[in-house]
Amino acid sequence: MVVSVLEEMRIKDLGVIDDAVVELSSGFTAVTGETGAGKTMVVTSLGLLLGGRADAGYVRAGAASALVEGRIAVPPDSAAARRAREAGAELDEGALLVSRTISAEGRSRAHVGGRSVPAGLLGELGEDLVAVHGQTDQQGLLRPARQRGALDRYAGEAVSKPLAAYQETYRRLRAVAAELAELTDRARERAQEADLLRFGLDEIAAAEPRAGEDEELAAEAARLGHAEALAAAAALAHGALAGDPADPEGVDAVTLAGGAHRALQGVRDHDAALAQLADRLGEVAILLADISGDLAGYADGLDADPLRLAAVEERRAVLNHLVRKYGDRDAGGDGCAAVLAWAERGAARLAELEGDDDRIGELTAEHDDLRARLAAHAAVLTGARREAAGRFAEAVTAELAQLAMPHARVTFDVRQTDAADGDEDTIELDGRPVTYGPHGADEVELLLAPHPGAPARPIAKGASGGELSRVMLAVEVVFADAAPVPTYLFDEVDAGVGGKAAVEVGRRLARLADSAQVVVVTHLPQVAAFADRHLVVEKTSDGSVTHSGVRTVHGEGRVRELSRMLAGQEDSRLARAHAEELLATAAALGRRAGAAERPA
């Protein structure tokens, strides 16, 4: 049952196509046309709707932009519909409207369900909607990594679950190995750093600096260095305030302030303002007396001991040395506090460095445990792949028998690579060290024996172009049963195929259309004859400008197109007879009959 269908595409100013509406349907749609008529533009258009890379070169010469629009029937509960709604898109009567605009300057805009979206969202939707296959995909199938991916996709949860467990362990193992290598490789650097830290911490501990001590010592040094001047100034100030005991006639500030206060006290009751002045003058007299006493005590307690000054300067030199080495004078502030902060950080770093040996031991133990667990996961993964490989190869072989390759046999070679001496990324598997990677320890390669007696060889070496096309089609038919997608687009994957094999290719594509929408760009009339809908891309030119359009053919028009494909002559009687025979053969075989003949 088809759950999503690409109903139509509108192509405007893309390549050689001016403005065309490509109407599609469920089932099998064939796209044909003369060589260079722009059939690939149909594939390019769908690729753009699925998030493919936009290129200003796609825009028709002289046009400001190119537009591709598509209408896709999508069930409301499908994954694609849910993802579109998450992006703010809306369905239009059960269909998702998708568009892509490319400007002549190369800018691209995408819209889904009336909402502007990133082109990447189109790619996410495309993964659930359409599988595109072309000649480049055949070349991709030659790569072992793609073959492993195809096998894993076919196996489903039997491989995906152990692969997920393997990859989780693999990521942790890589992280542990990286940390362990860093700690081990930097052992000498860490030892040197630890020695420097110990020396600095010992030097600071021996000096025992206190926060703010350097500022206190600077103030004391300034006082000791100017003790005589300070004492003389204090004595002079004290004499001015309290008077000179040797000069009874002298006038001092304290006596004068006291006398002034007494003069006002006698009349303060007659004027409030004068009373306030008297109070203030009394406060001044008291303050002067206090200052006078403090000056006397200051002068008596002033220490002019040169030995103390020498000791202070020596201590300051020690602290300045520490500040220059471990403090941050550019930051200003308390140099001793900066030294103490360095000591705190250094002690923490030293503890970290001294703990690295313990950490190396812990990491080594975890590394060994992870390798053992990874080997266990890899063994389960290998077993699951080998089991799936047998089923996959048998199913593809059965399909090839129906594609005019009755004696061909496909197998999968699931193997591991023995580790060489000195290899680090190795695990123990089946009693021998093997290399491993992010997808396991397995190397997967698809082998083909095209006929009895021929050795099984990698398909890159053992398959011709036509055989490779049929192998790929057989793989897709098997995939359609295991993990179907709603729509398949094949771009000339029948290249190199002809005769009876071409008929069987058409028949198999028609059978695939029983469960999915199939769109095929083809040069083979044997394939096109099986289609439910036949589209023709036509090219016209007025000598200066080339135009292409897309039209649907049926009845007489379809016979003429198949005749052109067969003989290059639409009106050839023999070609028309052959075209009619092809259509009759396709109708007689029928998709339902083809499904009934499907090998068990």
Side-chain angles (χ1 to χ4, degrees), residues 12-14 59-60 62-67 101-104 107 109:
K12 181 175 177 59
D13 291 329
L14 186 71
V59 182
R60 181 179 177 82
S65 62
L67 169 69
T101 303
I102 308 170
S103 70
R107 294 187 300 272
R109 291 182 298 169

Side-chain angles (χ1 to χ4, degrees), residues 67 108 140 213 232 240 261 330:
L67 169 69
S108 169
E213 183 181 1
H261 177 255
D330 293 337

Side-chain angles (χ1 to χ4, degrees), residues 242-252 255:
D244 185 358
D247 183 11
E249 300 296 330
V251 180
D252 58 86
T255 300

Side-chain angles (χ1 to χ4, degrees), residues 295-322:
L295 286 172
Y298 173 81
D300 292 339
L302 192 61
D303 186 5
D305 185 359
L307 295 179
R308 174 56 185 169
L309 178 60
V312 168
E313 293 295 351
E314 182 179 354
R315 178 62 175 172
R316 291 185 66 201
V318 170
L319 295 180
N320 285 335
H321 171 74
L322 294 179

Side-chain angles (χ1 to χ4, degrees), residues 116-127:
S116 178
V117 299
L121 176 64
L122 300 183
E124 295 179 27
L125 296 176
E127 292 179 0

Side-chain angles (χ1 to χ4, degrees), residues 207-366:
E208 297 183 344
R210 292 182 293 101
E213 183 181 1
D214 51 345
E215 296 179 354
E216 295 174 5
L217 291 175
E220 185 178 359
R223 186 170 65 253
L224 291 172
H226 300 81
E228 292 183 1
L230 292 173
L236 182 61
H238 178 266
L241 293 178
D244 185 358
D247 183 11
E249 300 296 330
V251 180
D252 58 86
V254 173
T255 300
L256 291 175
H261 177 255
R262 287 191 299 273
L264 296 179
Q265 279 292 95
V267 294
R268 61 175 297 154
D269 294 337
H270 304 302
D271 187 354
L274 187 65
Q276 291 181 358
L277 292 175
D279 291 340
R280 291 171 59 190
L281 193 56
E283 293 174 359
V284 170
I286 295 171
L287 183 60
L288 289 176
D290 290 341
I291 294 175
S292 174
D294 291 341
L295 286 172
Y298 173 81
D300 292 339
L302 192 61
D303 186 5
D305 185 359
L307 295 179
R308 174 56 185 169
L309 178 60
V312 168
E313 293 295 351
E314 182 179 354
R315 178 62 175 172
R316 291 185 66 201
V318 170
L319 295 180
N320 285 335
H321 171 74
L322 294 179
V323 171
R324 284 194 300 271
K325 290 182 66 175
Y326 309 110
D328 186 2
R329 283 194 172 277
D330 293 337
D334 187 349
C336 285
V339 171
L340 293 172
W342 182 94
E344 184 176 355
R345 294 193 301 270
R349 175 58 177 162
L350 182 60
E352 180 182 335
L353 292 173
E354 291 176 339
D356 280 349
D357 291 339
D358 295 337
R359 180 60 177 160
I360 288 175
E362 294 173 1
L363 289 174
T364 300
E366 184 180 3

Side-chain angles (χ1 to χ4, degrees), residues 10 45 48-51 66-72 96-102 108-119 122 125:
R10 182 188 177 194
S45 300
L48 289 170
L49 287 182
L50 300 178
L67 169 69
V68 182
E69 295 177 315
R71 180 180 177 87
I72 307 173
L96 192 62
L97 303 181
V98 182
S99 69
R100 187 84 177 273
T101 303
I102 308 170
S108 169
R109 291 182 298 169
H111 291 81
V112 175
R115 178 62 61 90
S116 178
V117 299
L122 300 183
L125 296 176

Side-chain angles (χ1 to χ4, degrees), residues 16-220:
V16 296
I17 295 180
D18 293 329
D19 193 350
V21 176
V22 182
E23 295 184 358
L24 302 171
S25 66
S26 59
F28 183 0
T29 299
V31 183
T32 64
E34 295 181 3
T35 302
K39 298 185 299 300
T40 303
M41 284 296 101
V42 176
V43 179
T44 302
S45 300
L46 186 55
L48 289 170
L49 287 182
L50 300 178
R53 186 180 66 85
D55 188 337
Y58 290 157
V59 182
R60 181 179 177 82
S65 62
L67 169 69
V68 182
E69 295 177 315
R71 180 180 177 87
I72 307 173
V74 181
D77 58 346
S78 67
R82 289 194 298 271
R83 182 66 186 92
R85 283 194 295 268
E86 290 174 0
E90 297 181 358
L91 296 183
D92 179 20
E93 298 180 354
L96 192 62
L97 303 181
V98 182
S99 69
R100 187 84 177 273
T101 303
I102 308 170
S103 70
E105 292 78 24
R107 294 187 300 272
S108 169
R109 291 182 298 169
H111 291 81
V112 175
R115 178 62 61 90
S116 178
V117 299
L121 176 64
L122 300 183
E124 295 179 27
L125 296 176
E127 292 179 0
D128 296 321
L129 296 175
V130 182
V132 181
H133 298 284
Q135 294 296 308
T136 56
D137 297 279
Q138 290 189 19
Q139 297 303 314
L141 190 62
L142 302 180
R143 298 197 297 270
R146 286 286 298 275
Q147 295 171 16
R148 185 200 62 239
L151 176 60
D152 290 353
R153 173 185 162 197
Y154 174 80
E157 288 189 356
V159 165
S160 64
K161 286 186 176 180
L163 179 59
Y166 173 92
Q167 290 180 330
E168 182 180 357
T169 304
Y170 175 84
R171 287 190 290 270
R172 178 56 188 164
L173 177 61
R174 301 297 293 179
V176 169
E179 186 178 355
L180 187 59
E182 181 182 4
L183 291 176
T184 304
D185 293 344
R186 295 184 58 242
R188 177 177 297 180
E189 296 177 14
R190 291 185 296 107
Q192 293 174 345
E193 183 183 358
D195 286 343
L196 290 174
L197 288 172
R198 290 192 192 94
F199 179 84
L201 292 172
D202 290 343
E203 191 173 19
I204 294 172
E208 297 183 344
R210 292 182 293 101
E213 183 181 1
D214 51 345
E215 296 179 354
E216 295 174 5
L217 291 175
E220 185 178 359

